[in-house]
Amino acid sequence: MLDHSLIGSGSTAREAFQNTLELARATEQLGYHRYWLAEHHGSGHFAGVAPEVLAAQVAAATSRIRVGTGGVLLTHYSPFKVAEVFRLLETLYPGRIDLGLGRAQGSTDQVTRALAYGASVGPETFPKKLADLIAFLSGTEPASEEFRGLPLRPATEGRPQLWSLGSGEQSAALAARHGISFCFAHFFNPITGAPVTRGYRAQFKPSAQQPAPYSAVSVYVVCGRTEEEARRLGRSNDLLAVNTRKGRAELPIPSVEEAEAYQYSPEELATLEFDRKRLVFGDPSQVKEQLQRMAADFEVDELIITTICHDHRARLRSYELVAEAFALSGATSRRAAG
């Protein structure tokens, strides 16, 4: 699962982080395989500005589930520093760390300039940074000649699983070329994901990182006991999408009541028809059927789901219902105990 550390209206960032730790423990018990933390900046509704910090907290609060980033926005950062941080995490929690890397800015141009603070930034820098990062993690010579022979500490036998995250062909092509895993962000682009992920598998080149392609699709999911309940919970997403498009990044996740009271313009309603294509919602059987169909169409090994709604309890329940629908180990045990 992918967690954005949600700030709902009437709550705080501290509560968001407390909810993240509770959710991580719960999903580990339910039998989920990965717990990823997103990176966003300048947002009033997503609190996760430093996923590597949150990953350390989540890994310390759990014992089995893989923990990682979905993802570190490498465009902003030094590949050497990112490699140091994730070698450290791998040393602390061996065999449990994922490093997902994104090309997006994650915020406004002003925030991007502040994060870079004098360094050259932009999507054009990403391919070289990715190549250098892989070299730093694997102990091979980096693409940048000035850094060749640079030792990296701490020394560790393992390395995090590397993922390229994206919603287009370039991210998939980079993952295939470098022989790393790929995750398609369906919630960014609900249209072309299947050919992109299938193309990744077809173009994959075995590497020291992994011998065969491995892919996932990340999807917004809202699961309720009934389809009606799921639709109602999803109304928060409608108003969140409108606020985001209007540049209202400072606003928290709206409640269902706020979303129901909002007067949508005809233009906003038309836009929401597209936005809703990014969302899988329904009762457990409906959600399972949609996700299984998507996994087969995309030819992916994993589904990475993220639930965005105002109420933390409803969000946790959505993950529980999905776990039960897919008969994950912890959900099956819980049902038997109940």
Side-chain angles (χ1 to χ4, degrees), residues 322-333:
V322 173
E324 291 173 4
F326 280 89
L328 298 187
S329 58
T332 304
S333 301

Side-chain angles (χ1 to χ4, degrees), residues 152-165:
L152 193 67
R153 302 289 184 268
T156 178
E157 293 183 2
R159 66 183 70 169
Q161 183 176 352
L162 274 172
W163 291 76
S164 173
L165 317 178

Side-chain angles (χ1 to χ4, degrees), residues 205-287:
K205 295 182 179 179
S207 69
Q209 283 69 50
Q210 59 187 65
Y214 197 88
S215 60
V217 56
S218 186
V219 192
Y220 281 157
V221 174
V222 177
C223 189
R225 294 177 179 84
T226 65
E227 181 181 353
E228 181 181 1
E229 178 184 287
R231 285 183 180 275
R232 186 169 187 270
L233 290 172
R235 288 172 188 161
S236 291
N237 282 278
D238 288 345
L239 185 50
L240 176 63
V242 168
N243 288 339
T244 300
R245 289 183 184 276
K246 289 194 169 184
R248 302 167 179 163
E250 77 282 358
L251 296 179
I253 305 289
S255 67
V256 170
E257 292 75 19
E258 289 170 324
E260 290 177 333
Y262 183 83
Q263 297 298 309
Y264 295 93
S265 70
E267 293 78 12
E268 289 168 345
L269 289 172
T271 302
L272 286 176
E273 288 301 312
F274 174 81
D275 286 328
R276 287 169 183 155
K277 294 178 182 179
R278 304 183 301 163
L279 179 66
V280 169
F281 66 89
D283 64 31
S285 62
Q286 291 171 321
V287 167

Side-chain angles (χ1 to χ4, degrees), residues 7-316:
I7 305 175
S9 59
S11 65
T12 66
R14 180 172 177 79
E15 289 173 311
F17 297 138
Q18 291 170 338
N19 290 340
T20 282
L21 294 178
E22 180 184 2
L23 198 56
R25 295 186 186 101
T27 49
E28 178 176 67
Q29 293 175 357
L30 288 167
Y32 282 83
H33 180 53
R34 301 182 197 272
Y35 197 99
W36 281 3
L37 291 309
E39 178 176 348
H40 289 272
H41 299 278
S43 172
H45 45 269
F46 295 154
V49 297
E52 65 277 21
V53 175
L54 289 173
Q57 290 289 305
V58 168
T62 55
S63 60
R64 300 182 308 278
I65 197 168
R66 292 191 66 90
V67 179
T69 55
V72 168
L73 303 180
L74 184 61
T75 299
H76 300 313
Y77 308 124
S78 153
F80 183 77
K81 180 60 177 176
V82 173
E84 283 188 323
V85 168
F86 279 83
R87 285 174 69 99
L88 174 59
L89 287 171
E90 178 66 26
T91 302
L92 291 170
Y93 308 103
R96 294 181 58 204
I97 300 300
D98 297 333
L99 172 50
L101 300 160
R103 295 172 60 245
Q105 290 187 177
S107 190
T108 64
D109 289 341
Q110 184 181 29
V111 171
T112 296
R113 292 193 299 271
L115 286 167
Y117 203 73
S120 60
V121 297
E124 70 279 359
T125 68
F126 185 86
K128 188 174 183 181
K129 284 188 170 184
L130 176 61
D132 283 343
L133 174 61
I134 292 172
F136 288 140
L137 287 170
S138 63
T140 59
E141 292 293 346
S144 299
E145 187 174 352
E146 62 187 304
F147 299 132
R148 292 179 182 177
L150 182 65
L152 193 67
R153 302 289 184 268
T156 178
E157 293 183 2
R159 66 183 70 169
Q161 183 176 352
L162 274 172
W163 291 76
S164 173
L165 317 178
S167 57
E169 292 181 357
Q170 186 171 359
S171 297
L174 282 170
R177 185 187 314 151
H178 288 289
I180 62 176
S181 302
F182 174 65
C183 179
F184 183 85
H186 176 270
F187 50 79
F188 284 149
N189 176 6
I191 306 300
T192 63
V196 168
T197 51
R198 291 197 297 262
Y200 157 77
R201 302 189 78 86
Q203 299 168 21
F204 183 87
K205 295 182 179 179
S207 69
Q209 283 69 50
Q210 59 187 65
Y214 197 88
S215 60
V217 56
S218 186
V219 192
Y220 281 157
V221 174
V222 177
C223 189
R225 294 177 179 84
T226 65
E227 181 181 353
E228 181 181 1
E229 178 184 287
R231 285 183 180 275
R232 186 169 187 270
L233 290 172
R235 288 172 188 161
S236 291
N237 282 278
D238 288 345
L239 185 50
L240 176 63
V242 168
N243 288 339
T244 300
R245 289 183 184 276
K246 289 194 169 184
R248 302 167 179 163
E250 77 282 358
L251 296 179
I253 305 289
S255 67
V256 170
E257 292 75 19
E258 289 170 324
E260 290 177 333
Y262 183 83
Q263 297 298 309
Y264 295 93
S265 70
E267 293 78 12
E268 289 168 345
L269 289 172
T271 302
L272 286 176
E273 288 301 312
F274 174 81
D275 286 328
R276 287 169 183 155
K277 294 178 182 179
R278 304 183 301 163
L279 179 66
V280 169
F281 66 89
D283 64 31
S285 62
Q286 291 171 321
V287 167
K288 181 181 180 181
E289 191 276 332
Q290 291 178 75
L291 290 176
Q292 286 181 322
R293 186 171 64 245
M294 185 180 295
D297 189 28
F298 284 47
E299 297 181 4
V300 293
D301 301 284
E302 291 187 26
L303 293 156
I304 297 178
I305 65 173
T306 182
T307 297
I308 295 180
C309 62
H310 176 266
D311 181 73
H312 175 62
R313 292 295 123 195
R315 185 175 174 229
L316 178 55

